[in-house]
Amino acid sequence: MTHGNEDLSQRKIKLPDFPKDDSNGYDLEKIMSELNKSGQIADYNDIASLHTQVNAARLSLYRIVVAQSQADKDAIIAEQKYKRIWNRVYQSASGTERIKATTADIESEDYQNDYVVSQMRCRELARRAQFIRDDLKALESLSNDYRQIIRSQQ
């Protein structure tokens, strides 16, 4: 399918790339392997290390929640731009309702793509925030367990 000189079948949405590692200093696997080497807590340094990991996870979650808030705002703006452009093109187009709607869809396609990308970013940030929340729960549980072990050994 072509339109003028442009091959419309080759038009694609450019999706954002998300970095794979955004742990910002915490590593749940590392802390668990360090704490579980001997099957029990070794000394105060392990608790301090666990505390550092909990703080790093909290900071990472904070950063993601801030980014998620901005992404939500950007998605709302992108949606409104898309809707407004679509409405303006629809109103200015001539022909039947179907022709006007199709013209508006085609003309506002780039704005719709921006909206889709912003929605994808929101979903990705929500997924990452939930993942870090789960890690944080595991870290806090480990911290509580090891504190109890220290108390029982005293």
Side-chain angles (χ1 to χ4, degrees):
M1 173 192 264
T2 61
H3 177 69
N5 293 334
E6 183 181 10
D7 183 4
L8 297 179
S9 66
Q10 298 303 313
R11 288 186 93 182
K12 301 198 187 293
I13 297 175
K14 185 175 181 343
L15 299 175
D17 292 325
F18 296 101
K20 296 199 183 312
D21 184 2
D22 62 347
S23 59
N24 293 318
Y26 83 94
D27 184 356
L28 183 61
E29 285 184 49
K30 178 182 173 191
I31 194 68
M32 289 185 71
S33 68
E34 291 295 318
L35 290 172
N36 290 324
K37 280 181 183 172
S38 64
Q40 61 182 359
I41 193 156
D43 58 21
Y44 177 77
N45 289 333
D46 288 341
I47 286 292
S49 175
L50 185 60
H51 179 70
T52 300
Q53 294 295 311
V54 168
N55 284 338
R58 285 181 178 150
L59 180 59
S60 182
L61 181 59
Y62 171 77
R63 288 178 180 155
I64 287 178
V65 168
V66 168
Q68 191 176 18
S69 177
Q70 184 60 48
D72 288 339
K73 291 174 189 174
D74 293 344
I76 290 168
I77 291 169
E79 179 185 22
Q80 292 307 310
K81 281 183 182 178
Y82 164 61
K83 286 180 176 181
R84 288 175 182 179
I85 294 296
W86 192 94
N87 287 334
R88 288 180 184 137
V89 172
Y90 181 86
Q91 291 298 322
S92 65
S94 60
T96 65
E97 299 297 312
R98 185 168 179 165
I99 290 172
K100 291 169 76 170
T102 301
T103 301
D105 286 342
I106 291 169
E107 293 295 322
S108 63
E109 191 173 71
D110 289 337
Y111 293 96
Q112 184 182 29
N113 291 348
D114 291 343
Y115 176 50
V116 168
V117 167
S118 65
Q119 286 180 315
M120 182 183 168
R121 180 165 172 74
C122 289
R123 279 191 227 110
E124 176 68 13
L125 288 169
R127 184 191 65 77
R128 288 181 181 200
Q130 186 57 49
F131 180 78
I132 292 174
R133 282 183 188 101
D134 292 344
D135 274 3
L136 192 54
K137 285 180 187 176
L139 286 167
E140 288 172 346
S141 177
L142 282 172
S143 177
N144 291 334
D145 290 348
Y146 287 120
R147 283 188 182 99
Q148 290 300 321
I149 290 170
I150 287 174
R151 286 184 189 136
S152 69
Q153 291 176 351
Q154 292 177 349

